[in-house]
Amino acid sequence: MEVSHEARRIHASSIVIDTHVDTVVRWIDLEEDLGVETGNGYMDLPLMKRGNLTASFFACCVGFHHVARGTAIRRALDMIDGVKEICRHYPDDVEVALGACDVRRIAAAGRLAVIIAIEGGHAIDDDLRVLRQYFDLGVRYMSLTHFNTHGWADSATDVARHDGLSPLGRDVVAEMNRMGMMVDVSHASDKVFHDVIEMSKAPVMASHSSMRALVDHPRNMSDDMVRAVAENGGIVCVTAWPEYISRRYWQGLEDVADRRAGRGGANRRANASGSTSAISDLMAMASGDGASGYNVLVDAEIPFPSLDDLLAHIDHAVEVAGVDHVGIGTDHGAVRFDLVDLEDCSRLPVLTEALVRRGYGEEDIRKILGENVLRVMEDVIGC
Ligand SMILES: [Zn+2]
């Protein structure tokens, strides 16, 4: 796609934020040097600069297999250290931001900002003291669950054990509100989502969720949920994850997971309505082989969705929530996928071009690219 002068101007002068990337696993598990061009997937620091990806939330995703007591904390600490080590190795390029003002300051200096996040509330090991220490280490949002239900909250892709948030889960959300850590509802069950909306004293975020009206996946959000986030003053950041933006891709992945596990399709489709997801199956199988899982989607050999598929979800989110409550959280990093027309983040100006072509005005484009996230950060974290 040809990028017009107008789109280039808007893109280059905007703060562009991705609210969910898992790229730190490539630094700590795959031992890739992200400070140089890796030629391996969506992002590294040179690609971020070329695409003006001003800031990214680096998710420290405490995988759903790190559930034994103590191991999740250890994994979270290793990942937080990984984010800080990237910044220590490349201080001229990248810096940890603790709030919206930091993001603006770092961007004005022509450098990249990373904001530390945790994905998977089991990382706190059922202990508010651990949560408080994560905040002190710089963590600025926590996704309440990952693929797994844990000690205090139900996941969208696992059995419900707490009917939403447990009493401890409510304490966790209250403590996050008190400290100024954003509450991320992506991956949480619908009941957890509604419990959070009902009790949170601060705007909430969905750091990487797409639209159930387009792809009826339990990980996506219904229109009612999207509207509730808008009423709460929060933000829904649309994910580019192939399984969630394309029904065709989702079905293809279910079939691959079935084949690999030697399972029948009927059983699989029953599961698809709530109890598990194809990708968590495939990741579990990959880690069982001692592999990182980074290439599970590439190896599945299903044609990837395109930028247009992603844009359909952005359009729908804007239609339902209003343009003040939509952002972008691609979910790139832990697993490689190459959206057609947006293969890596250096190509992000094509996203702006596509928004221009769809009739979005300049201010609205800036909001979607990053200003809405900054507003929520200011509201929840402070400057
Ligand atoms: Zn995720």
Side-chain angles (χ1 to χ4, degrees), residues 31-102:
E31 297 179 0
E32 284 189 83
D33 184 351
L34 298 170
V36 299
E37 228 164 291
T38 58
N40 188 20
Y42 187 71
M43 65 191 283
D44 47 48
L45 301 185
L47 289 175
M48 286 175 74
K49 276 192 190 157
R50 289 223 302 272
N52 190 34
L53 180 50
T54 319
S56 290
F57 284 81
F58 273 38
C60 298
C61 177
V62 184
F64 49 94
H65 40 283
H66 290 280
V67 289
R69 193 149 283 272
T71 64
I73 296 176
R74 176 58 204 258
R75 178 69 176 164
L77 290 176
D78 287 351
M79 299 185 99
I80 293 167
D81 178 71
V83 177
K84 293 185 176 184
E85 281 293 282
I86 295 169
C87 296
R88 186 173 72 82
H89 277 78
Y90 296 99
D92 295 338
D93 301 319
V94 62
E95 181 181 342
V96 171
L98 296 174
C101 293
D102 271 357

